[in-house]
Amino acid sequence: TGERVELREGENRQVADISGVGVIQDSIGGVRFEDKGMPGEGRCENNTIVVPRKGEYFVVLSDGTKVWLNSDSRLEFPNRFFGASREVKLEGEAYFEVAKNATKPFIVCCKNYNVKVLGTSFNVNDYEDESDSKTTLASGKVEISMNGRQTVLKPGQQAVIKAGWVDVKEVDVEVYTTWMHENFRFQSETVEEIMKKLARWYNIDVVYLGESVKGYHFTGYLPRYADISKVLDLLSLTTKIKFELKGKTIMVMER
């Protein structure tokens, strides 16, 4: 309908009723789309959830698919799924638990490729400011389609999409599929990669005093809901870098 609705935490309310699909916001901070009509009834209308920096959101689509959206992400989806497939569009990062429907595949459309599933759990990371995009499979099976080529993933595998190519590797799935919980988890990630994630979550800017500091690696946990100064203190304990926080800007330098 083109209406913009502000989704606020701590409320349990009926947000809207769109062509026979009730939109309910739970007090836990998520929204679910409940299809109240009979098959074929009502109109198919597109919705968009935009999650700003320093935010996260949870949505249950009308087919029962659960989606966790990370900071600085955007999900476009219909209020109800008609046709031969269930398609959504993603910018940013989301973790999906797809409701099974063998006759109607679920498709996540990213900028340069699509991820097709029937019923499975997986994570898609496709930020504009990242040099590559990653799809990580927790359970089930997914198919990556890009430039006319298909790549099938098995549980425990990750597809890294970069410069028009797909590279498949075995990974520790929990590193890429548990970001919505209490801790960030990193597996030999560079300081530059880590700071991009922290910048989205804490809504900060990062300035590097020297290119070499970007290449240091870190493996371990960092608290997700702690004050940014505590997170930076923990990161500096295990690396050869230090941080200086000025307002909303973090200066990163060697010790």
Side-chain angles (χ1 to χ4, degrees):
T1 63
E3 181 182 1
R4 184 183 181 94
V5 178
E6 193 76 21
L7 299 173
R8 301 183 295 272
E9 286 191 48
E11 295 188 13
N12 196 325
R13 59 179 177 140
Q14 176 93 15
V15 177
D17 198 327
I18 308 171
S19 301
V21 178
V23 185
I24 312 296
Q25 183 173 14
D26 293 322
S27 57
I28 59 173
V31 67
R32 67 181 186 273
F33 286 69
E34 295 186 343
D35 195 339
K36 299 178 179 180
M38 297 296 290
E41 289 187 350
R43 302 188 308 276
C44 179
E45 302 199 14
N46 288 326
N47 304 275
T48 302
I49 290 183
V50 179
V51 182
R53 282 188 164 201
K54 208 175 181 180
E56 59 184 347
Y57 211 74
F58 171 69
V59 58
V60 181
L61 305 182
S62 61
D63 67 333
T65 293
K66 299 176 181 178
V67 187
W68 286 261
L69 283 161
N70 206 347
S71 304
D72 200 15
S73 298
R74 177 188 182 98
L75 182 72
E76 295 182 27
F77 58 95
N79 61 309
R80 63 202 312 175
F81 292 102
F82 289 118
S85 64
R86 299 169 285 168
E87 290 192 15
V88 302
K89 293 182 180 180
L90 174 69
E91 297 175 17
E93 183 169 24
Y95 180 75
F96 295 84
E97 287 186 359
V98 177
K100 291 185 178 180
N101 186 335
T103 64
K104 188 176 289 191
F106 191 93
I107 301 174
V108 180
C109 301
C110 299
K111 183 179 179 181
N112 296 314
Y113 65 98
N114 294 338
V115 182
K116 178 181 177 181
V117 304
L118 294 177
T120 187
S121 301
F122 63 101
N123 193 78
V124 177
N125 181 304
D126 189 40
Y127 282 107
E128 187 69 31
D129 62 349
E130 298 282 0
S131 61
D132 56 29
S133 178
K134 299 181 179 71
T135 295
T136 309
L137 182 60
S139 64
K141 184 171 70 173
V142 302
E143 178 184 273
I144 310 294
S145 298
M146 185 178 67
N147 298 332
R149 301 190 303 270
Q150 285 72 44
T151 303
V152 176
L153 295 186
K154 298 177 182 178
Q157 291 184 329
Q158 179 183 82
V160 181
I161 295 92
K162 185 174 184 178
W165 294 94
V166 180
D167 180 36
V168 177
K169 60 182 181 179
E170 303 287 333
V171 297
D172 180 353
V173 171
E174 287 191 6
V175 174
Y176 302 94
T177 60
T178 58
W179 52 261
M180 69 289 289
H181 301 317
E182 293 295 320
N183 294 302
F184 291 103
R185 215 180 142 184
F186 302 106
Q187 182 70 45
S188 191
E189 292 192 49
T190 66
V191 167
E192 184 177 24
E193 291 170 330
I194 293 170
M195 294 309 297
K196 283 182 179 180
K197 294 178 181 179
L198 295 182
R200 296 186 193 109
W201 181 242
Y202 289 99
N203 192 23
I204 54 175
D205 298 314
V206 181
V207 175
Y208 297 94
L209 302 183
E211 288 294 311
S212 61
V213 296
K214 296 180 179 180
Y216 285 107
H217 287 72
F218 173 80
T219 295
Y221 296 86
L222 291 175
R224 184 171 170 83
Y225 297 102
D227 186 82
I228 182 61
S229 59
K230 180 180 179 182
V231 174
L232 296 177
D233 287 343
L234 291 171
L235 187 55
S236 65
L237 287 175
T238 56
T239 59
K240 295 181 179 179
I241 59 176
K242 63 179 181 178
F243 304 91
E244 186 175 332
L245 182 60
K246 293 183 177 181
K248 294 182 64 177
T249 301
I250 294 177
M251 318 289 285
V252 186
M253 64 200 82
E254 292 197 49
R255 282 191 285 181

